[in-house]
């Protein structure tokens, strides 16, 4: 864990993590980079919701680790990855908290994508899934 100070989410800075009931598909440069039915949705304070996708649902052959790092006082140190395909690169398009704070431990082993550094992040209804009233 980073030596930088950590904060605990609370009423002034809430963080929630919930299973995403939809299929999340991320594309870039004509390739599917991630396709998951097990994504998590992280909502933090007033920021837009972010889909976190299990590494096992990401085409890691397209990723190159970046030397870039950042620190969030609520989640910890983020590592970054560049997407590489057909001679093109999307620099630092993906981040991951590889050793997240206990408050967000569920995102360990997951990655997130910057929407402006990929072609699309789609949330698709999973066929055959029924809603709560069985319809």
């Amino acid at each position: 864990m980073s030596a930088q100070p950590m904060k605990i989410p609370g009423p002034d800075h809430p963080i929630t993590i919930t299973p995403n009931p939809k299929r999340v598909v991320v594309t870039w440069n004509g390739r599917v980079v991630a396709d998951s039915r097990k994504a998590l949705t992280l909502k933090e304070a007033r920021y837009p919701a972010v889909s976190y996708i299990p590494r096992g649902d990401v085409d890691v052959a397209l990723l190159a680790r970046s030397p870039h790092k950042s620190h969030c006082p609520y989640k910890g140190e983020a590592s970054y990855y560049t997407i590489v395909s057909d001679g093109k690169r999307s620099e630092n398009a993906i981040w991951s908290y590889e050793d997240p704070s206990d408050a967000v431990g569920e995102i360990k082993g997951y990655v997130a994508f910057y929407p402006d550094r990929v072609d699309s992040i789609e949330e698709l209804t999973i066929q055959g899934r029924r809603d709560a009233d069985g319809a």
Side-chain angles (χ1 to χ4, degrees):
M1 182 89 66
S2 173
Q4 295 191 41
M6 296 299 297
K7 296 181 180 180
I8 297 172
D12 60 328
H13 194 97
I15 296 177
T16 60
I17 301 170
T18 57
N20 188 330
K22 297 188 175 186
R23 176 181 173 201
V24 179
V25 179
V26 181
T27 59
W28 179 76
N29 195 33
R31 306 275 302 262
V32 173
V33 180
D35 186 344
S36 182
R37 291 173 171 84
K38 298 175 276 191
L40 299 173
T41 300
L42 185 143
K43 293 180 184 176
E44 178 178 0
R46 293 187 177 109
Y47 298 111
V50 174
S51 290
Y52 278 78
I53 298 172
R55 282 182 199 272
D57 293 341
V58 177
D59 185 350
V60 294
L62 299 175
L63 307 187
R65 185 179 281 276
S66 168
H68 183 67
K69 303 267 187 205
S70 67
H71 177 78
C72 170
Y74 294 93
K75 295 185 294 287
E77 184 176 271
S79 298
Y80 289 78
Y81 295 85
T82 294
I83 307 170
V84 181
S85 174
D86 299 326
K88 296 181 181 177
R89 300 171 64 85
S90 182
E91 297 291 333
N92 300 321
I94 300 169
W95 76 90
S96 174
Y97 291 94
E98 295 173 2
D99 188 18
S101 71
D102 291 342
V104 295
E106 299 101 313
I107 64 172
K108 184 176 182 131
Y110 286 70
V111 302
F113 293 79
Y114 282 106
D116 62 342
R117 296 182 190 176
V118 295
D119 295 334
S120 67
I121 301 174
E122 294 181 281
E123 290 191 353
L124 308 169
T125 301
I126 298 173
Q127 296 298 318
R129 185 170 277 186
R130 295 177 180 263
D131 59 21
D133 65 5

